[in-house]
Amino acid sequence: MNHWLFKSEPFKFSLDDLKTKGEKGEEWDGVRNYAARNNMRAMQIGDLGFFYHSNEGLNVVGIVEVCALAHPDSTADDPRWECVDIRYVRDMPNPPTLADIKANPKLSEMALVRLGRLSVQPVTRAEWEEVCRMGGLVPAP
């Protein structure tokens, strides 16, 4: 299993919005960055990810699961753009902030720290466990 981080501005689409979609989940559409698209192409059903609120909050607020493999993005006119579907798994009990993550030396190489603008990012197993620990999820799911 691989781990990921999905960034969203909560005024556009929040974790609460994803919760309302239920088991079916929601298409992670609108991504127009090749690296982020390629990350989604690498995802497998059941991979887990952090749901990160960007611009407002700046924190990891929950855990999501990939529930559909990469497929054409319904919001794109160009077939180059693909996306996965994700669904809500659980809230993060104590959402770690970006400042907390940046201050943690164990996370200094995390994509969220190094590649702040990338909307879909890989997360290593060690990073996953550390962010979960910071957020009050021990053991990490």
Side-chain angles (χ1 to χ4, degrees):
M1 174 188 301
N2 293 309
H3 297 95
W4 309 95
L5 183 140
F6 297 86
K7 293 174 73 176
S8 182
E9 296 174 354
F11 71 91
K12 290 184 180 175
F13 192 79
S14 69
L15 185 64
D16 286 338
D17 294 327
L18 184 61
K19 288 178 188 179
T20 67
K21 303 299 180 176
E23 281 296 307
K24 181 177 178 256
E26 180 73 2
E27 189 176 74
W28 197 254
D29 60 24
V31 174
R32 301 297 182 266
N33 173 285
Y34 287 108
R37 183 217 47 202
N38 292 344
N39 286 334
M40 288 191 285
R41 284 180 172 176
M43 293 177 185
Q44 298 298 312
I45 301 290
D47 280 359
L48 296 177
F50 292 128
F51 196 103
Y52 178 84
H53 280 168
S54 63
N55 292 337
E56 296 173 30
L58 299 175
N59 54 0
V60 175
V61 294
I63 306 287
V64 299
E65 177 184 31
V66 175
C67 59
L69 296 176
H71 57 83
D73 182 331
S74 68
T75 67
D77 294 332
D78 187 330
R80 289 180 294 178
W81 301 115
E82 297 177 2
C83 63
V84 296
D85 292 7
I86 62 171
R87 66 177 155 228
Y88 169 81
V89 173
R90 66 168 298 152
D91 287 343
M92 185 66 73
N94 303 305
T97 66
L98 179 60
D100 296 334
I101 291 167
K102 285 183 173 184
N104 186 328
K106 292 180 181 177
L107 301 174
S108 64
E109 294 301 312
M110 189 173 182
L112 183 61
V113 173
R114 293 182 306 101
L115 306 168
R117 296 195 42 84
L118 188 60
S119 62
V120 180
Q121 308 172 356
V123 175
T124 69
R125 180 68 191 179
E127 293 164 348
W128 179 263
E129 290 176 358
E130 183 63 12
V131 172
C132 285
R133 183 197 64 74
M134 292 171 69
L137 289 178
V138 179

